């Protein structure tokens, strides 16, 4: 039996739990959350699933977790994530970690996390930015011979909380980690749908030293339909994640066609990641150090923008 710990049983933690139930492995799953309602939801889902080879244990604290955890998923909000990691590593031996994003709010926390992984001999740590693992983007990567222009224009896109996914995709497609993020075209600060956090509207841009560009726009003029366009000269691919389709335009012949794609939900992805990690110790998600560099490239300019917009110096980036 593998011991798997989920810290944070809210929406994303619940999706991770769903994925573990269908991983096809013998598991002891421990879910920790201070909210009794979140734990009741977990319990109800477990009873409905009726999986014979899995046991489920839920609690409001870490008191009853075992001395050895094979995989720990930290699904808290960004404000308390580092604290949650520290508490877990001091309480039990952890082989592998998956961290939710946005990782942390403070710059210094990223180095502290790097040291924690060394001090507690964690064998592998990954960040849940899964776009690079999807077949459609792996296919697009093979098509790119030089630079690529990526654009997102979607009214309901959370630039603060979701841009790290697109930055990771840019990094993956271009084999580049030295990415520069600019915020000159951001417009305003708004309340996040997550209580206690903020969001931004306008346009965020990022670029690589080889000339690839990422543009993310989200404002009142942006369309209602979510799509991501990849332009690499001879072809233009537009992915519609919610419709699970892709439009391919062949520029030289002025022709196009559409094809169906798979855009799996988080529970399906967790099932795949958990099985690969527990059985083989490998994972296609970005490792912590890779994602750390991308996070820091995003947080610094965002903090500058928040500081100017709010009228005081912001050191803890208020996104999650």
């Amino acid at each position: 039996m593998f011991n798997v710990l989920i810290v944070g049983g809210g929406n994303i933690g619940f999706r991770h739990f769903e994925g573990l139930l269908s991983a096809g492995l013998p598991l002891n799953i421990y879910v920790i959350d201070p909210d009794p309602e979140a734990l009741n939801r977990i319990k109800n889902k477990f009873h409905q699933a009726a999986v014979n080879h899995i046991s489920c244990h839920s609690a409001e604290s870490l008191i009853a977790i075992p001395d050895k955890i094979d995989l720990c998923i930290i699904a808290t909000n960004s404000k308390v994530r580092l604290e949650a990691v520290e508490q877990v590593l001091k309480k039990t031996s952890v082989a592998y970690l998956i961290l939710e994003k946005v990782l942390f709010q403070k710059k210094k926390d990223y180095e502290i996390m790097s040291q924690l992984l060394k001090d507690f001999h964690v064998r592998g740590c990954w960040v849940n930015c899964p776009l690079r693992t999807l077949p459609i983007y792996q296919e697009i990567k093979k098509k790119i011979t030089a630079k690529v222009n990526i654009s997102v224009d979607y009214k309901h896109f959370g630039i603060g909380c979701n841009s790290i996914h697109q930055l990771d995709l840019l990094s993956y497609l271009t084999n580049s980690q030295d990415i520069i993020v600019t915020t000159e075209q951001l417009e305003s600060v708004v309340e996040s749908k997550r209580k206690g956090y903020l969001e931004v509207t306008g346009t965020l841009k990022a670029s690589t030293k080889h000339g690839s560009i990422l543009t993310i726009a989200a404002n009142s003029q942006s369309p209602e339909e979510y799509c991501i366009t990849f332009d690499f000269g001879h072809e233009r691919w537009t992915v519609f994640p919610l419709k699970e389709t892709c439009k391919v335009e062949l520029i030289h012949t002025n022709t196009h066609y559409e094809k169906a794609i798979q855009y799996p939900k988080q529970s399906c992805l967790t099932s795949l990641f958990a099985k690969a990690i527990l059985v083989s110790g490998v994972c296609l998600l970005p490792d912590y150090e890779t994602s750390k560099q991308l996070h820091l490239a995003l947080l610094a300019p965002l903090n500058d923008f928040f500081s100017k917009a709010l009228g005081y110096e912001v050191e803890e980036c208020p996104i999650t």
Side-chain angles (χ1 to χ4, degrees):
M1 298 285 282
F2 295 104
N3 291 334
V4 180
L5 171 64
I6 301 175
V7 181
N11 185 52
I12 189 65
F14 181 79
R15 300 306 172 196
H16 286 304
F17 180 72
E18 283 185 317
L20 292 174
L21 293 178
S22 60
L25 295 174
L27 304 175
N28 294 316
I29 305 175
Y30 299 81
V31 182
I32 307 301
D33 196 290
D35 183 2
E37 290 188 12
L39 296 182
N40 285 334
R41 190 182 180 202
I42 292 288
K43 292 175 185 176
N44 291 336
K45 180 63 181 179
F46 177 68
H47 292 312
Q48 292 170 7
V51 183
N52 294 327
H53 56 280
I54 293 179
S55 66
C56 176
H57 315 269
S58 57
E60 296 181 19
S61 72
L62 296 169
I63 293 175
I65 64 172
D67 295 332
K68 177 178 175 293
I69 295 294
D70 298 291
L71 172 62
C72 176
I73 301 173
I74 305 292
T76 66
N77 60 49
S78 60
K79 190 183 296 291
V80 300
R81 185 165 293 120
L82 181 65
E83 180 184 358
V85 173
E86 286 183 295
Q87 290 178 352
V88 169
L89 294 180
K90 290 177 180 178
K91 175 69 176 176
T92 183
S93 173
V94 176
Y96 299 106
L97 270 169
I98 293 178
L99 306 179
E100 271 302 329
K101 54 81 218 162
V102 171
L103 281 167
F104 316 112
Q105 294 183 327
K106 293 179 283 188
K107 181 180 178 181
K108 67 177 184 178
D109 289 353
Y110 289 84
E111 293 305 325
I112 294 173
M113 183 69 206
S114 293
Q115 194 60 47
L116 285 172
L117 294 176
K118 296 177 183 177
D119 292 345
F120 289 93
H121 309 291
V122 178
R123 291 159 61 184
C125 179
W126 299 272
V127 178
N128 191 30
C129 290
L131 295 186
R132 61 168 62 207
T133 73
L134 303 189
I136 181 59
Y137 298 128
Q138 293 173 350
E139 183 179 358
I140 288 175
K141 181 179 175 69
K142 294 177 182 177
K143 290 277 186 177
I144 299 172
T145 56
K147 61 184 180 180
V148 60
N149 290 333
I150 308 173
S151 61
V152 179
D153 191 8
Y154 178 45
K155 181 178 291 186
H156 307 294
F157 193 90
I159 293 178
C161 66
N162 289 324
S163 289
I164 190 63
H165 286 297
Q166 317 301 325
L167 289 174
D168 183 73
L169 186 58
L170 174 65
S171 174
Y172 166 72
L173 293 177
T174 61
N175 298 313
S176 174
Q177 287 182 243
D178 297 321
I179 292 175
I180 298 174
V181 176
T182 57
T183 59
E184 284 81 1
Q185 292 179 268
L186 289 181
E187 297 171 1
S188 60
V189 175
V190 296
E191 292 291 330
S192 169
K193 63 181 180 180
R194 296 172 178 87
K195 186 177 180 181
Y197 295 91
L198 298 177
E199 257 300 346
V200 294
T201 64
T203 301
L204 184 81
K205 289 196 171 184
S207 60
T208 71
K209 62 182 179 181
H210 299 297
S212 292
I213 296 173
L214 166 67
T215 303
I216 303 174
N219 52 50
S220 58
Q221 286 76 46
S222 296
E224 293 281 349
E225 186 172 44
Y226 181 29
C227 65
I228 311 173
T229 300
F230 303 83
D231 193 331
F232 34 92
H234 57 292
E235 294 183 17
R236 183 183 298 115
W237 290 45
T238 303
V239 176
F240 299 89
L242 302 182
K243 297 197 300 184
E244 293 191 297
T245 61
C246 178
K247 179 182 179 181
V248 179
E249 298 174 80
L250 309 177
I251 306 302
H252 296 316
T253 59
N254 196 30
T255 59
H256 72 272
Y257 62 91
E258 291 191 9
K259 63 178 184 176
I261 62 172
Q262 289 185 331
Y263 221 89
K265 291 181 168 47
Q266 182 60 61
S267 56
C268 296
L269 294 171
T270 300
S271 182
L272 295 173
F273 300 152
K275 189 169 185 177
I277 291 170
L278 293 171
V279 174
S280 305
V282 297
C283 185
L284 294 178
L285 291 170
D287 62 68
Y288 174 74
E289 291 300 324
T290 296
S291 195
K292 177 178 81 170
Q293 192 166 340
L294 297 174
H295 271 77
L296 291 174
L298 174 64
L299 260 62
L302 274 184
N303 275 349
D304 289 342
F305 176 76
F306 279 120
S307 297
K308 293 174 183 177
L310 300 176
Y312 58 87
E313 186 175 2
V314 173
E315 295 182 350
E316 296 184 21
C317 194
I319 59 175
T320 190

